[in-house]
Amino acid sequence: MLKIVIAGGFGAGKTTAVGAVSEITPLSTEEYLTEASADVDSLEGVEAKQTTTVAFDFGRLSLPDAPVPLELFLFGTPGQDRFVDLWYDLSRGAVGAVVLVDTRRLESSFTPVSFFEDIGLPFVVAVNQFDGAHRYHPEQVRTALELPASVPVVTCDARDPNHVAGVLLTLVGHAVRHAAAGPVRPTPTTTLQDA
């Protein structure tokens, strides 16, 4: 049994990915967007979005035919930066994370990438290929996000169960290699309190 976090910016497709691959009816904490969030939740690029995750999504995927049979517990994070404190709780005990990227709103990917780098949790980047969005090569996304060569960058369609399962298997393989290489201590982030 492995715990996996699925993170990414607001509207990147986290709830969709969990729902697409989960063998159980996923637990979802979606709520309707309201006027109260209009100043903090920009809908630029995702104007049709009507709901947002306010706690987490949960799904389960069993892979009995994998080289080692796996049962994956999937925890999708809320995407807005104001929920970062919750990401710590959701990441506790996880073997790794998937950062879903929407290239139409690439700037929303920097916070989750930095978060997993800072806590030292292995992660992969999955570029969600939205209909009508420009297709970038994974290496272009790697360069834009300033990712080291050790972080896998793949493309996917978060609506397709096979694509999402493939991303999850890529993450599991990456996490195993990361564990075999030995623990890497994250570089502490300097804060004003440290000055």
Side-chain angles (χ1 to χ4, degrees), residues 27-116:
L27 168 68
S28 179
T29 59
E30 290 280 294
E31 292 295 336
Y32 284 101
L33 292 167
T34 65
E35 291 293 323
S37 71
D39 292 338
V40 292
D41 294 333
S42 169
L43 294 177
E44 185 177 339
V46 290
E47 290 81 6
K49 187 165 177 58
Q50 296 181 356
T51 61
T52 187
T53 300
V54 295
F56 63 90
D57 299 312
F58 174 76
R60 185 184 73 214
L61 175 63
S62 299
L63 299 168
D65 298 328
V68 174
L70 298 171
E71 187 170 18
L72 307 178
F73 294 105
L74 311 173
F75 289 82
T77 69
Q80 297 92 325
D81 290 357
R82 68 179 179 273
F83 292 113
V84 166
D85 287 343
L86 179 59
W87 297 1
Y88 286 100
D89 293 331
L90 293 175
S91 297
R92 191 171 291 118
V95 298
V98 172
V99 176
L100 273 176
V101 170
D102 178 354
T103 58
R104 301 169 304 174
R105 298 163 51 101
L106 190 63
E107 69 282 353
S108 69
S109 304
F110 286 99
T111 298
V113 165
S114 295
F115 175 83
F116 294 115

Side-chain angles (χ1 to χ4, degrees), residues 3-40:
K3 178 181 181 182
I4 292 175
V5 177
I6 299 180
F10 177 62
K14 300 171 298 294
T15 299
T16 300
V18 171
V21 78
S22 182
E23 64 196 16
I24 61 171
T25 301
L27 168 68
S28 179
T29 59
E30 290 280 294
E31 292 295 336
Y32 284 101
L33 292 167
T34 65
E35 291 293 323
S37 71
D39 292 338
V40 292

Side-chain angles (χ1 to χ4, degrees), residues 8 10 17 22 27 34 36 58 65 75-76 78-79 91 122-123 125-126 136 141 149 154 161-164 167 191 195:
F10 177 62
S22 182
L27 168 68
T34 65
F58 174 76
D65 298 328
F75 289 82
S91 297
F123 67 96
V125 168
Y136 293 93
V141 175
V154 298
N162 292 325
H163 283 214
V164 178
V167 170
T191 65

Side-chain angles (χ1 to χ4, degrees), residues 145-163:
L145 292 176
E146 300 177 354
L147 297 170
S150 60
V151 175
V153 180
V154 298
T155 59
C156 75
D157 181 336
R159 301 167 295 186
D160 186 317
N162 292 325
H163 283 214

